Amino acid sequence: MGVLLVLAIALLLILFQWNWLRGPLARLLSDKLDRPVAIFGNLEVHPWSWSPTATVNGVVVGNPPWAGRTPMASLPRLRVKMKLAPLLLHGKLVFPWVEADRPDFTLLRDADGRANWRFGPGGGAHAPRMPVIDHLVIGGGKVRYNDATRRLRFTGVLTSSEQAAGEANGTFHFVGQGTLRNAPFTLTASGGPLVNIDTNRPYPFVARITSGPNRIGMSASFAHPFDFNRISGRIHASGPDLAGLYGLTNVSLPNTPPYNLASGFARVHKYYAFRHIHGRVGDSDLAGSLSVDDTRKR
């Protein structure tokens, strides 16, 4: 009986097709993300290791009903390597390698403030906490962003290559353009190497933003990659009128003459703080500090 059981298990392992799991895996992801997920390509799994690898082809993540039928994300090819020991001993996901080939994302926020990148019923829950990823490689990624509350439309390209030589090794680049309140909008950003990313360590980056006649440059970091609600650093801004920054900051500033200012800044959710402001507004020197708490009524 024991010999027959061993032979049956061996035969199952020989004949087993990983594609049999496409449907169950898609249903599991659909349940976790609260939106439809489909897997159209092959599953390629190499499990016999303490760091097994898997390649998933043709993943499509749909939108919640309010966001329409256009997919939220498509991943023609996603390859991951996972460490089993941290998962089995501590229940912790650790990925030594994640590689996404030509990922395509469409991010939406409607006039009611619902965002399709926030998961859970109604889109009100926070995005999932990012697991530990030692190496993240993105090839030819595209991002489309449409924010009805800010009247912002944007299309960008993101890349990160671990194979790049010299100082460019692993550097993250994001470049794109669109419109903000009907004015031309451009963004260029580059971050540190996407190697040994730890959600408990700050992630540094630099960015340049042009919104109509307004120019902003910053050197900053996310407190926890990539939590956009917690960010701090240094910023330099110039333009014809401080009120023109509303579309970028969602903070109402007074109408002013042309400005050229630098400051330290921090944002924690809807609380903004600017420290050691210095520069000029019109013919006047300006220095000081400013904080805005947007969690309460006006």
Side-chain angles (χ1 to χ4, degrees):
M1 187 67 180
V3 174
L4 291 177
L5 178 61
V6 171
L7 290 175
I9 293 174
L11 185 62
L12 176 64
L13 293 176
I14 292 173
L15 299 178
F16 185 78
Q17 299 292 319
W18 288 101
N19 284 337
W20 294 343
L21 297 180
R22 285 188 304 186
L25 178 59
R27 287 191 292 272
L28 175 64
L29 292 173
S30 298
D31 182 63
K32 294 292 184 182
L33 299 178
D34 195 44
R35 62 204 59 201
V37 176
I39 301 174
F40 296 103
N42 292 325
L43 293 181
E44 304 165 16
V45 182
H46 302 279
W48 310 117
S49 168
W50 285 107
S51 296
T53 62
T55 301
V56 187
N57 297 281
V59 180
V60 177
V61 181
N63 265 310
W66 61 264
R69 295 186 177 181
T70 300
M72 173 189 172
S74 64
L75 298 109
R77 180 176 179 270
L78 178 67
R79 176 175 176 262
V80 298
K81 178 184 288 188
M82 182 178 66
K83 292 183 179 179
L84 283 183
L87 179 64
L88 297 176
L89 296 176
H90 308 290
K92 184 179 181 181
L93 287 174
V94 178
F95 296 99
W97 185 277
V98 174
E99 181 178 355
D101 182 28
R102 294 176 288 113
D104 193 314
F105 301 95
T106 299
L107 305 179
L108 305 171
R109 178 162 25 209
D110 69 3
D112 295 325
R114 295 177 298 184
N116 70 341
W117 63 87
R118 297 191 183 278
F119 300 97
H126 291 292
R129 183 176 176 83
M130 184 177 176
V132 176
I133 299 175
D134 292 337
H135 294 74
L136 176 59
V137 179
I138 301 171
K142 293 183 180 180
V143 176
R144 282 171 292 276
Y145 181 64
N146 186 355
D147 189 332
T149 62
R150 294 176 182 264
R151 292 165 53 192
L152 170 62
R153 290 180 175 271
F154 179 83
T155 301
V157 176
L158 55 93
T159 57
S160 170
S161 175
E162 294 298 328
Q163 285 76 36
E167 294 182 357
N169 180 267
T171 303
F172 177 83
H173 293 280
F174 185 40
V175 180
Q177 59 186 358
T179 59
L180 175 62
R181 298 181 176 270
N182 298 322
F185 175 89
T186 62
L187 167 65
T188 60
S190 61
L194 299 180
V195 178
N196 297 322
I197 296 177
D198 188 337
T199 55
N200 294 314
R201 293 190 309 180
Y203 176 81
F205 70 97
V206 295
R208 292 185 178 276
I209 300 172
T210 300
S211 175
N214 299 286
R215 305 287 186 270
I216 296 177
M218 67 174 67
S219 175
S221 65
F222 297 111
H224 303 287
F226 290 96
D227 182 357
F228 294 93
N229 290 313
R230 295 175 61 90
I231 182 174
S232 63
R234 298 286 304 173
I235 188 168
H236 175 258
S238 62
D241 187 347
L242 278 172
L245 294 177
Y246 176 79
L248 291 172
T249 64
N250 210 32
V251 176
S252 296
L253 297 170
N255 291 106
T256 68
Y259 65 93
N260 191 330
L261 298 169
S263 173
F265 77 97
R267 175 191 175 188
V268 179
H269 296 283
K270 291 189 175 183
Y271 180 82
Y272 304 80
F274 296 87
R275 300 288 184 259
H276 308 296
I277 300 171
H278 64 278
R280 295 182 67 84
V281 177
D283 295 326
S284 301
D285 294 327
L286 181 67
S289 300
L290 170 69
S291 62
V292 178
D293 186 351
D294 198 31
T295 61
R296 297 177 293 183
K297 293 182 179 179
R298 188 184 301 269

